[in-house]
Amino acid sequence: MRYIIIAAFLGLSSAGISQEPGVYTQYHLNPVLLNPGATGHSGAHEFLFNYRNKWASFDGAARDFTFMYHGAVGDRIGLGGQLYTERIGRFRSFQGTASYAYRIVSDSYNVGIGITTGIQQLRLSSEFDPFLDDTDALLNEALDGVLLFDASFGVYGEYEDALYFGVSFPNLVRSRISEIQGDEEDPNEEFNYAALIGYRFKIKNYNFVVEPSLAVKNIRRVPFHIDLNLKLSFLDEQLVGGVTYSLGDESRCGVLLGTRIDALKLFYGYDVSFGEFQDFNSGSHELTIQYNLPKLSLTQTQE
């Protein structure tokens, strides 16, 4: 039993156990989840919590938690930080990142160029298992885990507060800080990228916004797919609805509901896969809670 668990850990650590940015389905609501170029883009200070339970009701299903802050410093700089953890069975992933973006701003467009760097730990959980020998050296190394350095790059922009677009390259630089016995680099490393484009059609007489968007993603250990998103907003996002249809190696369909209460935004999403594994779980749930603090102007601070 110990060899099966440790061998699985070695394989997952070589591949990178974490689904990383590919885990999110609500990235079109908060592009900074996928693209460091969106750091501080709105000019406000944003606090964000995201939770995703993939393959709910399946024993040991993936559960992901993200805590994030990002905001504007002055007129050109965006800074942010993120803590991320993932649980899949007995495997654990923890990641802390810092992001920086430089914004090019005019009356009609706002473009950010950003980078994210961070440290990730992959390890086995220390939960009690009567079949494991806690004196085993290799097992203890797996419990201690491995450390990796990671860096990503992205560009995100908006034009006339209607057209938005972005491209990012997650895991552009990825190297090991520590290793365990038998650990190897993944020989089948792929080039990771994510591209997003969307448009906000504002129907002012009815306080209604129709927002279609398209995303193409090929991210570490997440199958290549194309997302077709449609978001509908009423009364300045007091009521939000949407649908997503994904094409590719992981076809799925999802729905979105949300609301805004002053500076607080709440979004809930549910999606199901068209694959055979859907027969063994009850779908995936995702929740995002966002709180925005407006950027203080110079006149406000003087008062």
Side-chain angles (χ1 to χ4, degrees), residues 6 9-10 13 138 141-142 145-146 178-184:
I6 295 174
F9 173 78
L10 292 174
S13 66
L138 185 56
E141 284 191 356
V146 298
S178 66
E179 299 181 355
I180 66 175
Q181 299 177 43
D183 197 18
E184 297 179 354

Side-chain angles (χ1 to χ4, degrees), residues 19-27 49-56 61-66 84-88 217 222 225 246 250 252-255 268-273 278 281 283-288:
Q19 298 180 47
E20 305 177 25
V23 70
Y24 306 114
T25 61
Q26 297 181 6
Y27 58 86
F49 167 78
N50 178 275
Y51 166 73
R52 180 166 173 82
N53 182 7
K54 189 172 184 180
W55 310 317
R63 298 190 178 192
D64 308 87
F65 302 85
T66 299
Y84 170 86
T85 180
E86 181 177 48
R87 302 163 59 96
I88 305 178
K217 296 185 288 183
V222 177
H225 59 276
S246 298
E250 190 184 30
R252 63 176 186 263
C253 183
V255 296
Y268 167 76
Y270 175 77
D271 61 86
V272 295
S273 170
Q278 184 59 56
N281 68 87
S284 301
H285 306 268
E286 185 166 347
L287 173 68
T288 297

Side-chain angles (χ1 to χ4, degrees), residues 6-111:
I6 295 174
F9 173 78
L10 292 174
L12 287 170
S13 66
S14 295
I17 182 176
S18 172
Q19 298 180 47
E20 305 177 25
V23 70
Y24 306 114
T25 61
Q26 297 181 6
Y27 58 86
H28 58 297
L29 307 176
N30 293 280
V32 70
L33 290 171
L34 264 183
N35 193 328
T39 302
H41 190 271
S42 69
H45 298 276
E46 300 185 359
F47 298 85
L48 185 146
F49 167 78
N50 178 275
Y51 166 73
R52 180 166 173 82
N53 182 7
K54 189 172 184 180
W55 310 317
S57 76
F58 185 80
D59 188 28
R63 298 190 178 192
D64 308 87
F65 302 85
T66 299
F67 300 89
M68 174 184 288
Y69 158 79
H70 72 108
V73 179
D75 296 327
R76 302 287 183 177
I77 304 300
L79 297 177
Q82 175 180 298
L83 295 175
Y84 170 86
T85 180
E86 181 177 48
R87 302 163 59 96
I88 305 178
R90 291 202 60 180
F91 303 101
R92 303 288 183 266
S93 173
F94 302 92
Q95 188 173 32
T97 64
S99 57
Y100 166 89
Y102 180 81
R103 298 188 297 140
I104 304 170
V105 183
S106 76
D107 293 337
S108 59
Y109 62 83
N110 183 353
V111 178

